[in-house]
Amino acid sequence: MDDSLVAFGANPISASDIRSLCDSALLKLCDKHPEISLALVTTADAWLISHRFLEKMDAHRLSAMTASLLALCESLSKELSGGSCQSALLSMDSYTCVIVHINSAQQSLVLAIGVRQNVMIALARRFALDLAERISLSLRALESGADLSA
C-alpha cells in the first residue's frame, strides 16, 4: 500500500494513519463483542490493513480471498442488474462471515467480520455495516483534516 494515499480535493492520509484507525476500530469491536472471532480490513486490491483473529490464521491469504470474493460479488451484482453490492455473506456449517465495503474517497477498503454459527446472520451483518460506517466517517474526518483527538 502506498505510504501516502491522495484523492483530488482531499488531504492525503498515510497508510499508517489508516492502519492505526482500523486497528483501534477492530480492537474496540472485538473487545465489546467476544462472539466475533475474525475481523479484517483490507484494500480492494488485497493489501492487508488490519486484523484480529481468535485463532491462528494467515491474514495475508484471507485478505486476498476477501477482496477477491467481494469483487466477484460486485461483478455478479452488475450482471444481475441488481445495483451495487452491499455485502457478501458466507454461511458455513459452524461459521458465518460478512464482507462489506468501507467507503472512502482515497482508498477502496473491505471489511470482513466472522462469527460462530450460534450468532444470528442479521446481527453479524449489523456488526459489519455499523463498523464499516464508523471507519468510513473517521476516514472522511481525516481526509477533511479534522482533529480526531478531541
Side-chain angles (χ1 to χ4, degrees), residues 50-101:
S50 181
H51 69 282
R52 302 272 303 172
F53 303 147
L54 290 183
E55 299 175 16
K56 184 175 168 90
M57 297 181 191
D58 184 339
H60 292 283
R61 188 172 158 85
L62 287 173
S63 177
M65 288 187 274
T66 298
S68 296
L69 179 62
L70 194 57
L72 180 61
C73 290
E74 289 170 342
S75 296
L76 180 59
S77 181
K78 289 177 186 165
E79 191 69 25
L80 295 172
S81 302
S84 65
C85 178
Q86 300 300 308
S87 63
L89 175 76
L90 258 57
S91 181
M92 299 159 269
D93 289 337
S94 61
Y95 203 75
T96 299
C97 186
V98 180
I99 303 167
V100 299
H101 281 283

